[in-house]
Amino acid sequence: MSQASLFGDNSDVEPSFEVFTLPDAQLRYCEHYYDRTVADQLFDRLRQEVAWQQHSIRIAGIVRAQPRLSAWYGDKDAQYSYSGLQLQPIPWTATLDELRQQVEKSCNTRFNSVLLNLYRDQQDSMGWHADDEKELGPCPTIASLSFGATRDFLIKHKIDTQLKRKIALAHGSLLVMEGEMQSHWLHAIAKQKDLIGPRLNLTFRQIYSSNRS
């Protein structure tokens, strides 16, 4: 793939995706979407540039601090809500906008927002959930970039919970969830026992306004 000026001048090479065969889902993964040098640069740049916060969400009626830092960037009308949390988008930075354009090209999909999560160590996590909020539409495409420490991406079917999969998301990788995956599957990032460094994740999304025709 072609890297723009912020991240170096690499050759124009299409990403090579591994496609996973799963019922009720479309899932593909490119382990080396960015090479190590570019991934290192992006990891450092995003940790410094992003306006990280620790949000609180409501789970089963109880307000809890999220076990990670996060930030929401996007177009001005890309408002997003989940678990009682109302997110107003921060305007795109040059870095995030360039990443968006590259991922849009690879996915052939338009994105107007990105949720960033910073897992500071092995104790930070993301519980089981599906990205099935109404603002995302019925069959959303969600593109997930990962930088930093490798963490396991866990998925399980909502009905047949014996259907499970684990994917190690590497530094500089891109995972794309498409089709009806959010309707039929849950995903999570679990805590780990072993010491591990920070990991940074970006999930690009298309948010639809509630007043769309």
Side-chain angles (χ1 to χ4, degrees), residues 126-137:
M126 174 80 76
W128 287 107
H129 71 288
D131 296 319
D132 55 3
E133 292 80 15
K134 63 180 182 180
E135 298 98 323
L136 297 173

Side-chain angles (χ1 to χ4, degrees), residues 71-138:
W72 178 252
Y73 284 77
D75 296 352
K76 62 181 181 179
D77 59 345
Q79 301 175 15
Y80 188 43
S81 60
Y82 67 95
S83 300
L85 184 64
Q86 304 290 326
L87 297 177
Q88 300 294 327
I90 302 170
W92 295 98
T93 66
T95 304
L96 290 174
D97 191 38
E98 192 164 310
L99 287 172
R100 169 176 65 162
Q101 293 177 47
Q102 293 177 350
V103 173
E104 283 181 338
K105 180 180 178 182
S106 298
C107 297
N108 193 28
T109 300
R110 169 86 167 88
F111 298 112
N112 65 3
S113 53
V114 61
L115 177 64
L116 298 100
N117 286 298
L118 177 58
Y119 300 83
R120 296 159 291 185
D121 57 28
Q122 70 281 356
Q123 292 299 311
D124 278 357
S125 62
M126 174 80 76
W128 287 107
H129 71 288
D131 296 319
D132 55 3
E133 292 80 15
K134 63 180 182 180
E135 298 98 323
L136 297 173

Side-chain angles (χ1 to χ4, degrees), residues 2-204:
S2 176
Q3 305 294 348
S5 59
L6 280 177
F7 316 134
D9 185 19
N10 290 359
S11 60
D12 188 7
V13 178
E14 289 298 319
S16 177
F17 284 99
E18 176 185 1
V19 178
F20 293 89
T21 302
L22 298 169
D24 307 319
Q26 295 178 35
L27 183 66
R28 51 195 174 114
Y29 176 63
C30 179
E31 182 177 2
H32 302 295
Y33 188 71
Y34 290 108
D35 65 33
R36 181 60 182 259
T37 299
V38 174
D40 286 349
Q41 181 183 1
L42 285 168
F43 180 64
D44 292 338
R45 184 189 292 261
L46 291 168
R47 287 190 71 184
Q48 295 173 11
E49 291 184 354
V50 171
W52 299 107
Q53 302 178 60
Q54 186 169 25
H55 293 108
S56 294
I57 59 174
R58 185 178 298 275
I59 302 176
I62 301 174
V63 177
R64 304 177 186 273
Q66 289 183 321
R68 60 192 175 277
L69 303 183
S70 61
W72 178 252
Y73 284 77
D75 296 352
K76 62 181 181 179
D77 59 345
Q79 301 175 15
Y80 188 43
S81 60
Y82 67 95
S83 300
L85 184 64
Q86 304 290 326
L87 297 177
Q88 300 294 327
I90 302 170
W92 295 98
T93 66
T95 304
L96 290 174
D97 191 38
E98 192 164 310
L99 287 172
R100 169 176 65 162
Q101 293 177 47
Q102 293 177 350
V103 173
E104 283 181 338
K105 180 180 178 182
S106 298
C107 297
N108 193 28
T109 300
R110 169 86 167 88
F111 298 112
N112 65 3
S113 53
V114 61
L115 177 64
L116 298 100
N117 286 298
L118 177 58
Y119 300 83
R120 296 159 291 185
D121 57 28
Q122 70 281 356
Q123 292 299 311
D124 278 357
S125 62
M126 174 80 76
W128 287 107
H129 71 288
D131 296 319
D132 55 3
E133 292 80 15
K134 63 180 182 180
E135 298 98 323
L136 297 173
C139 293
T141 295
I142 298 176
S144 174
L145 285 174
S146 294
F147 301 102
T150 298
R151 295 288 293 264
D152 287 336
F153 181 77
L154 310 176
I155 62 174
K156 66 179 179 181
H157 199 275
K158 290 183 179 181
I159 303 301
D160 186 355
T161 55
Q162 298 304 308
L163 287 174
K164 299 178 181 180
R165 193 69 187 258
K166 178 171 67 175
I167 304 170
L169 299 183
H171 182 43
S173 66
L174 174 65
L175 179 80
V176 184
M177 298 179 282
E178 299 169 297
E180 296 186 339
M181 182 166 181
Q182 304 305 323
S183 297
H184 299 286
W185 291 76
L186 301 171
H187 54 275
I189 301 290
K191 293 182 180 180
Q192 297 186 201
K193 293 182 179 180
D194 296 335
L195 293 175
I196 197 168
R199 177 220 180 208
L200 196 156
N201 176 250
L202 303 82
T203 50
F204 291 90

Side-chain angles (χ1 to χ4, degrees), residues 77-79 134-136 207-213:
D77 59 345
Q79 301 175 15
K134 63 180 182 180
E135 298 98 323
L136 297 173
I207 299 295
Y208 296 97
S209 172
S210 59
N211 61 4
R212 61 175 176 158
S213 58

